[in-house]
Amino acid sequence: MASFFEKRDPWGHSLSLWVVVLMIFVTPVLFGVLREIRQENNVENWLPPDDPQSKVLQWHRDSFGIEDRVLVSWDGSSLTDLRADRLKQSLLGQKDAKGVRRGGSPYILDVATPQDAIQKMVDYHIDPDEAERRLKGVLIGTGMLKVRLSPAGKKRREQTIQELIATTKRELGIDLTVKPAFTPWVEMVDETEEGTVTDAPVEEPDEDQVDFKALVEAIPEHDFQLIWPRMQAHSKQADQIKEIALSLRRPEILVGASTAADQEAKSDQLGEEPKLIEDCFFAIGTPIAVAISLSDTGDADHASAVAAIKTAAVDAGIPAENLHMGGRPVAGAALNRMVKESSWNTAYPLWQFHKRSVTLFSGLIGIALAFLMLRSVRLACLVLLVSYYTTFVAVSIIPMTGGTMNMVLVVMPTLLTVLTLSGSIHVANYWKHAAHVDMKTAVVKAVEMARAPCMMASLTTAIGLASLLTSPLSPVRDFGLYASIGCVVSLLMVLYGLPSLLQLWPAKPPKASEIDTRHWQAFGRGLSRHQWLVSFSCLAIFVAACYGFKWFRTETKVIRYFPDSSRVIQDYLFLEENLSGITPVDTVICFDEKAQEDLNFEERVELVRNIERKIAEHPEISGTISLADFRPVSEPLPKDASTFQKLRHAKRVNETERRVRESLKKEKSGEVNLEGDTVKSFLNIADHTADLEQETANGARMVDIQKGDEMWRITAQVAIMTDLNYADLTNELNQVTQSVLRDHAGTTHLVTGTIPLFLRTQQAVLESLIKSFGLAFAVIAVVMMVLLRSPTAGLITMLPNLMPIGVIFGLLSWMHVAVDIGTMITASVALGIAVDGTLHLLTWFKIGIEEGKSKSEAVAAALGHCGPAMWQTSAVVAISLAMLYPAELLLVSRFGILMCALITAALLADIIFLPALLAGPLGTLIVNSQKREQKATEKHPLLQEGKESKPHLSHVVKRAQSEQSFET
């Protein structure tokens, strides 16, 4: 039967022409489709809606009406800073005569300032100092460590500072940074400006108006401030630095004093203060933060919302370089921007092209290497054209099917490019061998030789990628789906696109020296002679690396994808070191009808306050807030209270509960304006039942919410930039809450928010890695067993394919490097790529055995045939992917360098470990299997006749080798 490339259409044209015409025709159509591609990088949407933690989080958001929030602060901010109110007015607009706000940003729903929160607390008869304390670590920070020098220290200020820095570095290894003392912000007024009113009447102060100036002036005097990386006010490091600072003494007083007692005695004799630093402390009051809630419009477009906040901040008088922003919308917008910048970043000049576009630079390196390896400009151009066209088609499928680009899919174009490049280089090498014999039949013979191994390699790679569809994480499933489809497109382009182009635009036939493989054959014979040593050495490396899996861990924090030098990381560090943790974790306390009858409203408030106080004592929590913070502390009714006192107390409690519930009803009906109460944010009444599952240290527990249950929310702020184990934190919050609630029947609780979602996502990453890799391994192992006609041989053949994953991931675990969502997908991808070289080598080893060669000679012949293509493919792919390392988005950078390592390891496994196994027991199993197959064929003459009539794949190679030997 004639080959596809030998057939002609009714007009006498080769079918290759129509393949190329089809490629040209769909190009403009796909360009139009590709312009509609969108990005989506919302971590909260990674898990499916039916996941237990997703259900809890959605219930939590529906119950309390929680919107996405952005935390905004700036250098030198304090409670007297008028720019906070200006920022609020700029974002929300001004009220008109009818009380309707005009001129605000459509991206903003609400703005909460610490001044408003304190004023609201004072309105509820809470002392301003107490109100300020309750907002510590939420909207008000303690700032840097403030240092007050003694008179002796002030005389030698610079020497004291240098001694403190040097001593801290020597004893603790911490680098201190010295900052000026805090000074309250004062607005500079230009009195010469026209329209400036200098004699405006001064309004009488409201008795209930908080004196914020007095709160700021309460910060004790100090001489300078200290800050250090990952600073936390209540950490052990802070206590150690305080101890060092207070222990510094003036050198001239200490001369001749060898002990602390001598120092004190000598200082007493001289009558002088030996201390250089009188005190060091953290003080509440600076900086402050403004919490900005996004509207539905802002939630749909984080980039525009963040830009609107930045513009409003500058209009309020806050310099852009002093502004610091944090929160999920900020990280999401920055992630989307960096994903785009990995393709084209105009911040870098063209002469720094490796930074301007790491993906394009990776492609250019691949082009250069392809020219170098193939030694033919035309052949290299065709190979690269097919590779990039495949990527173009595969990426166009995403918007065509309604999909969106995400942080994981961003690496798919590079992956498909290198996978197609791999298959194309194999076909190009087959064509060079065939063209050396006969240019007219070169394309047909090359496709005949490439079809079986390329189909098996592409399909096994597609299986490895499709196994990612078992993941509960949507970005991983999307990657598995579109990348596996891309593998099928790649196979069609390798077996039909490239041969069609070669038939219409053939390259020059290669020289004999270009297909000289004697050094590869010699290498194969050397491996055969030392098969046992090589095999056991490879196994020893494999086992030693796999031992590192005992330290295997996962990481899903989006903020970890940014480099330390990025603006978003610097902003997060400022906020967490000076003010508040970025990540909220919520504890919801539920009272059923019985608990509401047993405990009156004030008793429930105090119960929530008690739980909040215990949560706030956790060292990793910067601050907490709940509705109890807006209520004064209630004194319990004395046991000997009179009936009148009891009735009056009950009336007061009932009246308080009635007002709170009326306010809640108004909020639900939308009657309360933006300045109204915010009861619904912290308290709600369940209007329907819900069966929720809560993960605890002792396993899952069910929480049943009934209609009418009263739910109180306690929000705790936790740092995201630390290495805190969120599983331990969640378990500790559960234990703290349960320790208080266990004595009150009818109460239960839930811990939810971003942190539990992180934990579930981390578990899903691990589950995805195990399931997808296990499924891919099982399917590919079955394929190998069928191909080799031996279950044992199939399993042994999988060892070289497992070795790259085991060694590289084992070394990552040895180095305590966490596996993120981008790293996870490389395992299944690497397995598919490793199988590519294995299948090509096995194919030609079996051909050698069929020709009557010994195992050693068959290994040498197989390496001689496949070695150059495997080396060229691996070099082009690995080096190209390594060029992604400079990418600022660490997800892309890590993917590139890890894939480079995996491909290098796969090459070494395929050209060292596999040949050694083929020369030993694996080769024996394959030989025995082929002998059994031959005997079975001899018993059935029809099978023998069919086999003999089929042209052998090795004929072209034998003729090329004979020709080469004759010329030599």
Side-chain angles (χ1 to χ4, degrees):
M1 183 177 179
S3 168
F4 175 85
F5 300 99
E6 294 175 320
K7 295 179 181 179
R8 299 279 174 174
D9 64 11
W11 299 278
H13 302 132
S14 170
L15 295 185
S16 298
L17 176 63
W18 293 108
V19 172
V20 176
V21 169
L22 178 63
M23 291 170 60
I24 296 173
F25 176 76
V26 301
T27 298
V29 178
L30 296 182
F31 262 119
V33 172
L34 200 58
R35 294 178 60 183
E36 302 299 322
I37 197 165
R38 297 178 295 109
Q39 288 198 62
E40 172 60 45
N41 286 307
N42 188 349
V43 181
E44 294 183 6
N45 295 336
W46 286 6
L47 292 170
D50 59 349
D51 185 88
Q53 188 55 54
S54 293
K55 291 173 68 175
V56 171
L57 187 63
Q58 188 59 48
W59 167 84
H60 177 58
R61 289 184 176 277
D62 293 340
S63 298
F64 294 98
I66 300 170
E67 305 87 11
D68 269 338
R69 294 179 184 269
V70 176
L71 203 64
V72 178
S73 184
W74 54 95
D75 297 336
S77 60
S78 67
L79 289 171
T80 58
D81 198 330
L82 301 179
R83 292 174 292 184
D85 189 60
R86 290 177 186 169
L87 175 61
K88 175 181 177 179
Q89 292 180 8
S90 178
L91 291 172
L92 296 181
Q94 298 287 343
K95 281 185 178 181
D96 59 14
K98 296 182 179 180
V100 179
R101 287 198 171 273
R102 305 288 183 184
S105 171
Y107 303 106
I108 307 303
L109 178 66
D110 192 14
V111 178
T113 66
Q115 291 91 336
D116 290 341
I118 291 176
Q119 184 63 58
K120 188 174 294 185
M121 291 180 184
V122 170
D123 293 341
Y124 285 107
H125 311 294
I126 298 171
D127 186 76
D129 292 333
E130 174 63 16
E132 183 184 37
R133 187 195 63 78
R134 293 183 182 186
L135 288 177
K136 179 178 76 72
V138 180
L139 292 178
I140 304 176
T142 56
M144 294 172 272
L145 180 63
K146 296 165 180 60
V147 179
R148 182 166 63 245
L149 296 172
S150 67
K154 290 181 179 180
K155 291 180 181 179
R156 53 190 314 274
R157 175 189 174 98
E158 293 303 321
Q159 294 91 328
T160 300
I161 292 175
Q162 293 304 318
E163 186 176 351
L164 175 58
I165 293 174
T167 305
T168 305
K169 177 65 174 177
R170 182 176 63 253
E171 296 187 9
L172 302 179
I174 298 174
D175 294 314
L176 296 179
T177 302
V178 178
K179 298 288 186 178
F182 166 72
T183 53
W185 175 81
V186 178
E187 184 173 18
M188 302 302 293
V189 179
D190 186 1
E191 297 183 355
T192 63
E193 185 178 350
E194 293 185 8
T196 301
V197 179
T198 58
D199 297 325
V202 179
E203 296 182 1
E204 291 293 329
D206 188 348
E207 292 183 0
D208 294 329
Q209 186 70 30
V210 179
D211 186 358
F212 293 110
K213 184 178 180 181
L215 291 176
V216 174
E217 289 177 346
I219 299 176
E221 292 184 2
H222 52 283
D223 295 280
F224 59 88
Q225 301 181 92
L226 296 173
I227 193 171
W228 58 91
R230 306 297 194 269
M231 181 184 72
Q232 288 183 315
H234 302 292
S235 65
K236 183 180 179 181
Q237 277 187 346
D239 294 336
Q240 291 173 331
I241 292 174
K242 289 180 183 179
E243 185 178 349
I244 290 174
L246 296 175
S247 68
L248 296 181
R249 309 279 173 160
R250 201 165 63 194
E252 57 268 24
I253 293 179
L254 302 181
V255 174
S258 58
T259 65
D262 292 339
Q263 293 172 357
E264 293 294 336
K266 191 169 182 64
S267 64
D268 291 340
Q269 291 174 7
L270 295 176
E272 293 180 294
E273 174 59 49
K275 291 183 178 180
L276 293 173
I277 293 177
E278 187 175 288
D279 195 12
C280 48
F281 52 87
F282 290 96
I284 307 173
T286 177
I288 63 169
V290 176
I292 302 172
S293 300
L294 302 186
S295 63
D296 292 338
T297 304
D299 190 39
D301 190 353
H302 287 166
S304 298
V306 171
I309 294 171
K310 290 181 178 178
T311 302
V314 172
D315 293 342
I318 304 170
E321 62 273 13
N322 293 346
L323 186 68
H324 306 284
M325 304 172 63
R328 192 175 67 85
V330 176
L335 185 63
N336 287 340
R337 185 183 68 254
M338 293 191 74
V339 167
K340 293 179 180 178
E341 289 176 352
S342 65
S343 298
W344 192 255
N345 188 355
T346 55
Y348 292 99
L350 281 174
W351 59 269
Q352 288 185 328
F353 195 78
H354 64 289
K355 291 185 177 180
R356 180 143 188 166
S357 177
V358 290
T359 53
L360 286 180
F361 182 70
S362 172
L364 290 177
I365 293 297
I367 292 173
L369 289 172
F371 283 119
L372 180 65
M373 297 294 181
L374 294 174
R375 301 180 184 178
S376 169
V377 173
R378 186 174 300 183
L379 191 59
C381 287
L382 295 180
V383 165
L384 293 167
L385 174 63
V386 168
S387 301
Y388 286 112
Y389 189 83
T390 300
T391 304
F392 170 67
V393 173
V395 174
S396 300
I397 295 174
I398 298 175
M400 195 183 299
T401 56
T404 56
M405 184 66 75
N406 56 56
M407 67 179 73
V408 179
L409 276 175
V410 73
V411 299
M412 188 189 75
T414 304
L415 175 66
L416 290 178
T417 300
V418 297
L419 285 175
T420 311
L421 201 61
S422 171
S424 299
I425 288 177
H426 276 288
V427 171
N429 274 274
Y430 291 144
W431 179 86
K432 287 168 70 175
H433 281 95
H436 187 67
V437 178
D438 187 356
M439 279 288 293
K440 294 181 180 179
T441 60
V443 171
V444 175
K445 295 301 181 184
V447 173
E448 282 184 7
M449 288 188 286
R451 182 178 290 111
C454 284
M455 283 187 65
M456 293 299 297
S458 294
L459 293 178
T460 50
T461 303
I463 290 170
L465 292 166
S467 67
L468 297 172
L469 291 170
T470 61
S471 172
L473 302 176
S474 56
V476 179
R477 291 198 307 275
D478 290 346
F479 181 87
L481 173 64
Y482 291 116
S484 57
I485 294 174
C487 276
V488 177
V489 175
S490 174
L491 176 63
L492 294 175
M493 291 302 299
V494 167
L495 293 183
Y496 291 95
L498 178 60
S500 296
L501 291 169
L502 273 172
Q503 196 167 38
L504 296 176
W505 193 34
K508 294 181 180 179
K511 299 177 182 178
S513 58
E514 295 182 29
I515 57 173
D516 184 5
T517 60
R518 285 174 293 182
H519 56 288
W520 280 100
Q521 295 180 23
F523 179 63
R525 295 188 190 97
L527 289 175
S528 298
R529 285 194 298 269
H530 304 92
Q531 53 175 295
W532 291 110
L533 176 62
V534 173
S535 298
F536 281 117
S537 298
C538 291
L539 282 173
I541 295 172
F542 182 42
V543 172
C546 287
Y547 181 75
F549 280 107
K550 65 181 294 185
W551 298 290
F552 185 84
R553 61 190 179 95
T554 57
E555 173 65 77
T556 56
K557 297 177 185 175
V558 174
I559 198 67
R560 297 295 192 189
Y561 299 145
F562 298 96
D564 291 340
S565 59
S566 64
R567 178 63 185 268
V568 66
I569 290 289
Q570 296 303 314
D571 286 351
Y572 269 58
L573 289 175
F574 174 88
L575 292 170
E576 294 195 344
E577 290 171 355
N578 293 275
L579 199 146
S580 166
I582 299 294
T583 306
V585 57
D586 287 353
T587 303
V588 180
I589 313 299
C590 303
F591 299 90
D592 64 11
E593 292 183 359
K594 183 180 184 308
Q596 294 176 50
E597 292 175 1
D598 295 342
L599 299 169
N600 63 42
F601 186 76
E602 285 191 352
E603 289 172 336
R604 298 198 295 275
V605 170
E606 294 308 314
L607 184 62
V608 171
R609 194 193 309 278
N610 187 25
I611 295 173
E612 181 185 358
R613 178 179 57 79
K614 288 181 176 293
I615 290 175
E617 291 173 356
H618 195 286
E620 297 294 341
I621 290 176
S622 66
T624 58
I625 190 168
S626 71
L627 188 61
D629 289 316
F630 293 86
R631 307 296 307 173
V633 177
S634 302
E635 295 295 334
L637 195 66
K639 293 182 180 180
D640 57 350
S642 65
T643 303
F644 175 74
Q645 288 176 320
K646 290 179 181 179
L647 289 174
R648 188 174 63 177
H649 179 266
K651 182 180 179 180
R652 180 172 58 82
V653 171
N654 291 336
E655 178 63 19
T656 300
E657 183 174 7
R658 184 189 64 78
R659 289 200 307 268
V660 170
R661 295 219 172 191
E662 282 186 359
S663 179
L664 180 60
K665 288 180 182 178
K666 288 181 180 180
E667 283 193 67
K668 286 187 174 182
S669 63
E671 296 180 24
V672 178
N673 58 32
L674 291 173
E675 277 72 26
D677 294 332
T678 55
V679 176
K680 188 176 182 293
S681 298
F682 299 105
L683 174 68
N684 197 17
I685 308 299
D687 53 10
H688 64 276
T689 61
D691 296 328
L692 305 172
E693 183 179 323
Q694 178 79 77
E695 287 291 335
T696 67
N698 299 321
R701 66 179 180 92
M702 297 303 298
V703 178
D704 298 326
I705 307 297
Q706 301 298 322
K707 185 177 180 180
D709 285 1
E710 190 177 73
M711 303 172 295
W712 296 67
R713 170 184 169 223
I714 302 172
T715 297
Q717 297 299 127
V718 184
I720 196 174
M721 300 303 296
T722 64
D723 294 326
L724 170 66
N725 188 324
Y726 283 163
D728 294 340
L729 173 65
T730 305
N731 292 333
E732 289 164 5
L733 293 182
N734 273 313
Q735 293 171 6
V736 165
T737 308
Q738 191 59 39
S739 68
V740 178
L741 295 180
R742 66 163 59 101
D743 298 328
H744 301 278
T747 61
T748 187
H749 77 282
L750 284 162
V751 177
T752 184
T754 309
I755 284 180
L757 187 74
F758 278 152
L759 284 176
R760 177 66 191 105
T761 308
Q762 285 180 350
Q763 294 170 357
V765 168
L766 186 58
E767 292 170 6
S768 301
L769 183 62
I770 295 173
K771 287 182 180 179
S772 63
F773 184 75
L775 179 60
F777 175 82
V779 173
I780 294 174
V782 170
V783 171
M784 289 295 184
M785 292 175 187
V786 174
L787 182 65
L788 299 177
R789 307 288 196 275
S790 169
T792 306
L795 289 175
I796 295 175
T797 305
M798 292 303 293
L799 285 176
N801 300 319
L802 283 177
M803 187 175 176
I805 293 94
V807 170
I808 301 303
F809 277 84
L811 290 176
L812 287 178
S813 301
W814 268 106
M815 295 184 291
H816 301 280
V817 176
V819 173
D820 58 34
I821 191 170
T823 307
M824 186 214 76
I825 62 175
T826 60
S828 297
V829 173
L831 182 61
I833 292 175
V835 170
D836 185 357
T838 300
L839 285 169
H840 281 280
L841 199 67
L842 283 175
T843 299
W844 292 98
F845 175 80
K846 290 175 66 178
I847 289 173
I849 297 298
E850 289 177 1
E851 293 174 349
K853 291 185 174 71
S854 65
K855 291 189 297 181
S856 177
E857 288 301 318
V859 166
L863 266 181
H865 188 82
C866 299
M870 291 165 64
W871 146 249
Q872 292 168 7
T873 298
S874 298
V876 172
V877 171
I879 297 174
S880 297
L881 286 172
M883 295 301 105
L884 296 176
Y885 181 72
E888 291 188 4
L889 184 60
L890 297 184
L891 182 77
V892 176
S893 175
R894 291 169 186 164
F895 177 85
I897 201 66
L898 186 59
M899 282 302 300
C900 173
L902 284 167
I903 290 169
T904 303
L907 173 65
L908 296 176
D910 279 335
I911 66 173
I912 296 177
F913 192 19
L914 182 58
L917 291 175
L918 289 173
L922 177 59
T924 302
L925 290 171
I926 294 175
V927 170
N928 294 336
S929 175
Q930 288 197 303
K931 287 181 179 178
R932 288 193 299 270
E933 184 181 357
Q934 186 177 0
K935 289 181 181 179
T937 304
E938 291 174 354
K939 293 180 180 179
H940 300 82
L942 292 177
L943 293 177
Q944 177 70 20
E945 181 181 351
K947 183 178 179 180
E948 289 177 351
S949 63
K950 185 179 177 179
H952 206 288
L953 292 180
S954 63
H955 290 171
V956 174
V957 179
K958 291 176 66 178
R959 290 177 60 187
Q961 291 173 343
S962 299
E963 183 74 17
Q964 178 184 333
S965 300
F966 176 77
E967 291 181 1
T968 302

